[in-house]
Amino acid sequence: MAFRSVATQAVTLLRLRGVPTVSNNSSSITNTTTNTLRSLAFIAEVLDGLHYAASHEWVKVEGSTAIVGISDHAQKELGDLVFVELPEAGSPCKQGEKFASVESVKAVSDVYSPISGTVVEVNTSLSESPDLINKSPYGDGWLMKLTVSNKGELDGLMGADAYKQHQAANAH
Amino acid sequence: MKLLRLQGFPILQQLYLEERLLRATTHNWCLINQGTNPPAIIVGISGKPEKLLDVKAVLQDNIPVIRRFSGGGTVIVDTDTVFVTLICRRDAVTLPDLYPRPIMEWTEHLYLPAFQTVPSFHLLEHDYVLGDRKFGGNAQSIIKDRFLHHTSFLWDYQDFRMAYLKLPQRTPTYRLARSHSDFICRLKDYMPSREAFTDYIVKAFEQQFRLQEISLDEVEKTQPSSVPHITSTQVFTTADLQQSIMPLIVKG
């Protein structure tokens, strides 16, 4: 099941890139295979039921509360995370503005809130185990929970299918 | 890209300036600073002095310790360090997204022409090396549509100063079990002069950017420090450093 799923994703990825999946040229096949293998290693998980920002954060809204994290694509690109700086409970968040920082081996990257609201809880487990974000970006690696001030902002975010396209368009 | 050349500019002021240019301006920048005085220790944003330094020796010798706003490890810098910083907009580089590894690889290609006369310059894991010896420390700060990549090149170094730094918990695989002196090398052993080195860098960057030289006065006039922006650079006070080793002393 897993292999078939990966193979299907590989074909989809090649089609999105406009690369023919069959060629009579052996060099072209080798290059295509190499690129496919690189892409396979990089295919990131996208969960249905979440909203995604172009900057690779996700948000799940449950009633008036939202949970926010970074996508599997983002954690893969960032590499092993070693430090996370999160806001304090009670802090306001504005859509598109920085609310956190994550540090990987040599870099600090800002993380942007996909939705506006007020922070009610942050994931304190991340202070000791920032690698939870790498291991479980949609589960135990969540970053913050907030009360949402404007649900209409979700309209400007992407669903799973659109985010998959966005990822594929930015693949390197 | 605006090119700012500095000579002996204090590293703390340089870090404040860099953070401002990254967060509060929209231009592309290159800063080159020839050394800093007095010597200082710079840790990354999450660096803990008690884990990274011989804090007692640092306190005894009154070496300033600064936490910078970018990631990465610990360096000790002085007049023998050459600092080169790139601050770029997303549209200045041909990268689909701004993430650490692609940026690092982009800088390798940018720097390559500067090391034409030196054998075996390349990027190894996250470091610039000659062969398998590191000659500079790199770190990045990435924000929306902009990034900063700064390097402290070891033109020369004093072994006794390296002794302030502990072996870090995380080391690159290629380091193996080598001591600091076997792991790093001095650029002065490979380049004719510091001036030649920085000229090579400028020429290398000119292959991708049109450089426009600017003075510090012009920067202060056109990009004033009064523009509000996030500032994460901070200096550890003596009390901070003493506090950091208190639990270790108590455990004694």
Side-chain angles (χ1 to χ4, degrees):
Chain A
M1 181 78 141
F3 177 75
R4 199 166 147 200
S5 170
V6 163
T8 305
Q9 286 182 71
V11 170
T12 304
L13 197 67
L14 290 168
R15 285 188 187 141
L16 283 170
R17 286 184 169 171
V19 175
T21 49
V22 176
S23 169
N24 289 329
N25 181 309
S26 62
S27 165
S28 170
I29 289 171
T30 303
N31 289 339
T32 302
T33 304
T34 305
N35 288 337
T36 304
L37 288 170
R38 283 197 187 119
S39 300
L40 284 173
F42 196 76
I43 289 173
E45 187 181 17
V46 177
L47 289 193
D48 290 331
L50 305 182
H51 291 84
Y52 297 86
S55 48
H56 306 290
E57 294 86 7
W58 60 263
V59 56
K60 182 175 182 180
V61 177
E62 294 170 336
S64 60
T65 305
I67 309 174
V68 172
I70 65 170
S71 70
D72 190 36
H73 167 89
Q75 68 81 14
K76 278 180 159 66
E77 285 278 18
L78 288 167
D80 293 340
L81 294 174
V82 299
F83 176 73
V84 183
E85 186 178 59
L86 294 168
E88 290 187 359
S91 305
C93 280
K94 200 172 166 193
Q95 187 183 46
E97 290 190 357
K98 175 193 169 185
F99 76 94
S101 300
V102 291
E103 183 187 3
S104 46
V105 175
K106 293 283 187 183
V108 171
S109 301
D110 285 357
V111 186
Y112 301 94
S113 188
I115 199 164
S116 304
T118 304
V119 179
V120 294
E121 188 182 348
V122 296
N123 188 349
T124 53
S125 301
L126 297 178
S127 63
E128 288 298 318
S129 305
D131 59 330
L132 284 173
I133 299 175
N134 296 119
K135 290 174 185 167
S136 179
Y138 299 114
D140 293 337
W142 63 275
L143 297 180
M144 69 165 176
K145 295 178 183 174
L146 63 163
T147 51
V148 177
S149 58
N150 181 3
K151 271 193 187 176
E153 287 177 343
L154 292 173
D155 295 339
L157 301 177
M158 292 176 271
D161 288 340
Y163 182 59
K164 283 177 195 168
Q165 301 273 348
H166 176 67
Q167 272 183 205
N170 285 335
H172 56 87
Chain B
M1 176 175 278
K2 295 182 189 291
L3 170 62
L4 175 61
R5 294 195 207 231
L6 302 164
Q7 190 82 25
F9 196 60
I11 186 58
L12 178 61
Q13 304 311 317
Q14 178 179 330
L15 290 169
Y16 285 144
L17 175 64
E18 287 180 1
E19 202 168 6
R20 171 158 51 107
L21 296 180
L22 171 67
R23 292 195 175 275
T25 81
T26 57
H27 299 294
N28 297 316
W29 299 90
C30 173
L31 277 72
I32 300 178
N33 184 19
Q34 294 279 11
T36 189
N37 200 24
I41 292 169
I42 320 290
V43 303
I45 193 166
S46 62
K48 294 186 168 80
E50 68 277 15
K51 292 205 161 120
L52 299 167
L53 308 175
D54 180 348
V55 177
K56 282 187 187 171
V58 168
L59 283 166
Q60 187 174 309
D61 297 343
N62 213 22
I63 307 292
V65 181
I66 301 167
R67 171 178 282 145
R68 65 178 183 267
F69 61 94
S70 56
T74 308
V75 292
I76 179 152
V77 296
D78 56 23
T79 52
D80 291 325
T81 311
V82 177
F83 301 95
V84 182
T85 299
L86 290 157
I87 302 171
C88 296
R89 290 194 307 266
R90 176 197 284 262
D91 62 10
V93 299
T94 52
L95 297 171
D97 255 329
L98 297 182
Y99 283 112
R101 189 70 201 171
I103 292 172
M104 196 77 228
E105 289 171 355
W106 173 80
T107 69
E108 181 192 17
H109 292 295
L110 185 68
Y111 271 109
L112 194 57
F115 292 93
Q116 276 181 78
T117 58
V118 182
S120 64
F121 162 78
H122 62 287
L123 178 66
L124 185 53
E125 296 183 40
H126 303 276
D127 296 328
Y128 300 143
V129 297
L130 299 176
D132 65 352
R133 286 189 159 213
K134 181 176 174 178
F135 63 93
N138 291 308
Q140 297 172 357
S141 177
I142 304 170
I143 67 172
K144 192 177 278 189
D145 297 329
R146 284 172 76 71
F147 68 91
L148 174 145
H149 177 92
H150 51 194
T151 308
S152 51
F153 288 104
L154 294 171
W155 178 255
D156 194 359
Y157 62 85
Q158 310 300 317
D159 287 311
F160 75 90
R161 290 212 173 111
M162 294 296 170
Y164 293 119
L165 310 183
K166 287 183 182 174
L167 186 66
Q169 280 182 314
R170 284 188 310 271
T171 59
T173 307
Y174 78 93
R175 179 168 182 162
L176 304 172
R178 288 182 286 170
S179 66
H180 216 87
S181 54
D182 288 334
F183 172 54
I184 57 177
C185 64
R186 296 171 167 88
L187 261 181
K188 71 169 194 171
D189 294 336
Y190 298 90
M191 290 276 174
S193 68
R194 285 173 79 136
E195 291 70 30
F197 174 50
T198 50
D199 280 348
Y200 295 160
I201 288 177
V202 170
K203 286 192 170 65
F205 291 1
E206 280 174 338
Q207 292 190 24
Q208 292 205 32
F209 296 97
R210 186 172 60 86
L211 297 178
Q212 177 196 350
E213 199 132 1
I214 189 169
S215 69
L216 187 58
D217 281 344
E218 284 171 277
V219 172
E220 296 297 347
K221 278 184 202 157
T222 56
Q223 319 291 338
S225 55
S226 55
V227 176
H229 60 280
I230 297 169
T231 305
S232 306
T233 304
Q234 63 169 125
V235 183
F236 287 93
T237 63
T238 301
D240 291 334
L241 293 172
Q242 286 169 340
Q243 185 80 12
S244 75
I245 55 172
M246 277 304 287
L248 299 173
I249 292 172
V250 167
K251 275 185 188 173

